[in-house]
Amino acid sequence: MTRVAAIDCGTNSIRLLIADVDRSNGAPRLTDVVREMRVVRLGQGVDATGELAPDALERTFAATADYARLIRQHGATAVRFVATSASRDARNRHVFVDGVRTLLGVEPEVISGEEEAALSFAGASSVLPIHDGDQVLVVDLGGGSTEFVLGTASGVTAAKSVDIGCVRLTERHLRDDPPTAEQIAAAVADVDAAITRAGQDVPLERATAVVGVAGSITTITAHALRLPEYSPAAIHGAELPLSTITEASADLLAMTRAARAELPYMHPGRVDVMGAGGLVWRRILERLHDLSAGRIGTATASEHDILDGIALSLN
C-alpha cells in the first residue's frame, strides 16, 4: 500500500486527492483519505488577456499552501501536481509554476490537452467497467477546455482537447443574466466548431457509450435527479436518457444566477458558469446522438476523473 497525493489545477477549481494505492491484486485500486475541492478561478480573464490575474494566482497559492499542509499531515510519499487549460494558455505561467514549486516542493506539470485526456480516461475507467467490444467516449468538461477520449478495455485509442469550457464561454459570450438568444447562438457556434475539430481526430461516431466527468457534468446530473443535496454516491454511475440530461442542461442555461444559487446541490463557485456548462454538455450529447444515428441514447456520470488518473499514475 502506497499513500499518494494528486492535485488537479484547472481553470475553475483546484482539487486534492490523498489516497492509498493498493496494487496487490492486478489493477490498482484507490482508497480515499482526503478529497477536497476549492473554486479559485485561476483562469479568470485568461481568454481575453492571455495572462493569469494576480488575484487569481493569490487564491490558487492560498489553496496550494493548505493542500501542502494536508499532504504533510497525512504522510503522502509521492506527490504530483498537474495544471491544465488556463496554465497552458497563459504567457505568465512561470509565475504560477514558481509559486507552486515554492509552496509544495514539487515541480508542477503544465500538461498537454492530450495527456489531460488520457488521465481523465484512466480515472473514469478505473471505477466504471469497460467490457470487451465497448468503445467508450469519456468527455471531460472543464472550465477552459473539454477533452474527448475514445477508449476500449485496452486503453485510449484516440483523444483530442478543444478550447471550450464553462468559464471560457461565460466570459466570451454569456455575459447577460440570463444570456440573450444572440449570446447563446454565438456560444453554440463555438461549441459546434470545437466538436467538429474533435471529430477530426476522434471517431466520435464509433462510440458505443458516453461517460461524462468533472463538476459541470456532475452538477447537471444532480439537477436532472433533483437531489436534495450534492451527493457523489447518487451521482456516480447514474445513467440517464439523453433527453433528461439535455432538458436539465437547458434549464440551467435559462435560469438566472440567483435561481441557480438557490439549488441545494449547486456549489457557489459554479453559479455563474453553470449555464455555459449546460450549453456545452447539451450540445455535445445532441451531436453524439446524431453522429451515432441514435445508437447513443444515454450518458453516464462519473465522480472519478483526471484527479484519480493522476493518483493512479504515481508509484
Side-chain angles (χ1 to χ4, degrees):
M1 195 82 73
T2 306
R3 180 160 293 183
V4 303
I7 297 176
D8 165 40
C9 186
T11 299
N12 197 42
S13 65
I14 181 169
R15 299 181 300 151
L16 168 70
L17 172 60
I18 301 173
D20 291 328
V21 186
D22 183 355
R23 301 180 185 276
S24 61
N25 271 326
R29 291 176 301 158
L30 296 175
T31 300
D32 289 11
V33 177
V34 173
R35 192 180 284 263
E36 285 206 8
M37 187 269 287
R38 312 270 181 92
V39 173
V40 294
R41 196 64 59 85
L42 177 62
Q44 169 194 324
V46 168
D47 189 61
T49 67
E51 293 197 346
L52 300 168
D55 51 338
L57 285 165
E58 184 178 342
R59 293 190 298 269
T60 305
F61 291 155
T64 301
D66 289 343
Y67 287 175
R69 285 191 289 273
L70 284 169
I71 290 167
R72 290 192 298 269
Q73 177 185 334
H74 289 280
T77 57
V79 181
R80 187 178 183 192
F81 185 112
V82 164
T84 54
S85 178
S87 311
R88 283 196 297 267
D89 295 347
R91 288 189 297 268
N92 63 337
R93 61 179 170 271
H94 64 279
V95 179
F96 166 76
V97 169
D98 291 346
V100 170
R101 187 193 304 115
T102 299
L103 291 165
L104 200 61
V106 300
E107 188 73 16
E109 303 171 50
V110 181
I111 62 171
S112 69
E114 285 63 37
E115 185 173 0
E116 181 179 0
L119 288 168
S120 294
F121 187 87
S125 62
S126 70
V127 290
L128 293 175
I130 299 176
H131 304 291
D132 289 343
D134 288 349
Q135 295 212 54
V136 177
L137 180 70
V138 172
V139 179
D140 183 346
L141 199 174
S145 66
T146 295
E147 284 66 51
F148 295 79
V149 202
L150 190 68
T152 66
S154 301
V156 174
T157 57
K160 180 67 174 179
S161 177
V162 291
D163 284 340
I164 52 168
C166 59
V167 174
R168 192 185 297 271
L169 286 184
T170 299
E171 291 183 350
R172 185 182 294 176
H173 296 300
L174 307 183
R175 300 188 185 94
D176 284 359
D177 181 26
T180 66
E182 291 77 14
Q183 290 170 350
I184 291 170
V188 167
D190 277 6
V191 174
D192 280 353
I195 296 169
T196 299
R197 288 197 302 276
Q200 293 169 354
D201 293 306
V202 181
L204 302 174
E205 70 282 355
R206 295 185 191 171
T208 59
V210 182
V211 176
V213 303
S216 285
I217 289 173
T218 58
T219 303
I220 292 164
T221 303
H223 188 56
L225 294 170
R226 296 299 193 266
L227 296 180
E229 61 184 2
Y230 191 93
S231 168
I235 293 165
H236 181 67
E239 183 179 1
L240 299 175
L242 295 192
S243 59
T244 301
I245 302 170
T246 57
E247 286 170 12
S249 299
D251 191 37
L252 286 168
L253 174 61
M255 281 183 177
T256 63
R257 294 175 182 178
R260 287 199 293 262
E262 293 299 316
L263 298 173
Y265 35 78
M266 181 66 63
H267 189 285
R270 298 196 190 283
V271 166
D272 61 329
V273 296
M274 269 310 305
L279 183 150
V280 175
W281 191 218
R282 183 193 72 192
R283 195 65 193 122
I284 288 172
L285 293 178
E286 289 170 345
R287 290 285 297 275
L288 289 173
H289 181 266
D290 292 344
L291 287 167
S292 70
R295 185 180 64 254
I296 298 293
T298 65
T300 301
S302 174
E303 283 281 344
H304 298 269
D305 51 26
I306 186 175
L307 189 60
D308 302 72
I310 297 166
L312 288 166
S313 72
L314 289 163
N315 294 315

